[in-house]
Amino acid sequence: MSSNRHTFSCIDGHTCGNPVRVVVDGAPILRGETMSLRRQDFISRFDWVRRSLMYEPRGHDLMSGALLYPPARDDCDLGLIYIETSGCLPMCGHGTIGTVTVVIEHGLASPMREGELRLDTPAGLVTAAYQLDGENVESVRIENVPSYLHKADLIFDCPGLGKLKCDIAYGGNFYAIIDPQPGCDALDSLNVSDIKRLSPIVRTEVNNLLDVAHPLDATVRGVSHVMWTGHSTQPGAD
């Protein structure tokens, strides 16, 4: 009798409290000559892996993580596939920082350059500079893929707030960025419950208005993140 059981070895870490589950063994073999193509293969054939590791009872609604792979590029040390409760993203900032910490502290990769880990992600090359304090990673600083402004001043309807405008920008994922404006003070007046309630609505409205896709990789498409901004409250902040 065949068994449908699968075993995954994971190390759980975090980035400033944001969870990062690093899958160090058991990741499925993926097809594709690039990490972007491998991401598409993962989505089409192995989304059950993401759901099993991210959803309850093994995960929770804020869980995210990464699977480790050999890089598809010769100039990289490691390949990553990002998984979250929301899906399989091309890039994840906090996930990268947490994964680099786990990888270096547990000796899971041999960097070509000391103090730097070059990562082959579905979004492209991401470079992570890390500093050690003994055997522990003290800090990680990432250089992300090239970002750009996709569309400025997109006007949309937001229930309860009326017509708002946002900018659509790319930085590994597509973001709808909402600044304070007439009729909406954004972070200056919204509380956590407001943000959690309104953000999915904003994402849906924006995606209904605009078919967003990366000009160099059409598989990277759709606004996945909503960012609300506000006036600074700390000295020295812009």
Side-chain angles (χ1 to χ4, degrees):
M1 180 180 295
S2 63
S3 173
N4 290 324
R5 292 185 178 181
H6 297 268
T7 300
F8 301 93
S9 297
C10 306
I11 300 174
D12 282 1
H14 72 89
T15 303
C16 295
N18 287 318
V20 182
R21 174 163 292 166
V22 182
V23 183
V24 300
D25 190 39
I29 297 174
L30 300 178
R31 303 166 184 162
E33 297 180 353
T34 66
M35 292 308 295
S36 178
L37 290 174
R38 293 174 188 177
R39 169 178 172 259
Q40 294 305 307
D41 186 44
F42 182 91
I43 291 171
S44 65
R45 296 197 295 139
F46 297 107
D47 195 56
W48 64 267
V49 174
R50 178 188 66 85
R51 298 193 304 270
S52 297
L53 296 176
M54 298 291 102
Y55 291 178
E56 294 182 358
R58 302 173 189 88
H60 50 78
D61 60 349
L62 297 178
M63 181 61 77
S64 64
L67 297 94
L68 308 183
Y69 284 96
R73 300 169 51 132
D74 293 335
D75 60 347
C76 289
D77 302 300
L78 189 66
L80 296 181
I81 294 291
Y82 300 99
I83 52 176
E84 297 191 352
T85 52
S86 62
C88 183
L89 298 177
M91 169 56 186
C92 178
H94 97 267
T96 299
I97 293 172
T99 298
V100 169
T101 300
V102 168
V103 165
I104 295 301
E105 290 188 352
H106 290 266
L108 300 176
S110 300
M112 290 182 281
R113 301 177 185 175
E114 185 176 353
E116 179 183 273
L117 202 61
R118 295 172 64 84
L119 304 169
D120 189 4
T121 79
L125 170 64
V126 175
T127 303
Y130 60 89
Q131 292 185 337
L132 291 172
D133 181 8
E135 296 182 350
N136 297 321
V137 174
E138 187 176 62
S139 66
V140 177
R141 182 172 183 170
I142 63 173
E143 181 177 338
N144 200 1
V145 297
S147 61
Y148 73 96
L149 176 63
H150 187 85
K151 184 174 180 60
D153 298 334
L154 176 69
I155 298 175
F156 65 97
D157 287 312
C158 183
L161 295 178
K163 288 191 178 297
L164 297 179
K165 67 178 180 179
C166 69
D167 295 330
I168 308 299
Y170 175 80
N173 300 291
F174 282 105
Y175 294 77
I177 304 172
I178 304 171
D179 296 321
Q181 55 196 274
C184 177
D185 292 332
L187 279 187
D188 293 340
S189 61
L190 298 177
N191 57 37
V192 173
S193 296
D194 293 331
I195 293 171
K196 291 175 66 176
R197 175 176 56 85
L198 291 172
S199 294
I201 297 173
V202 170
R203 183 170 55 219
T204 299
E205 291 293 325
V206 168
N207 280 320
N208 286 339
L209 283 174
L210 195 65
D211 183 16
V212 180
H214 195 281
L216 301 180
D217 186 351
T219 68
V220 179
R221 63 187 318 118
V223 171
S224 56
H225 293 66
V226 176
M227 181 182 296
W228 304 81
T229 74
H231 297 98
S232 61
T233 60
Q234 298 296 322
D238 297 325

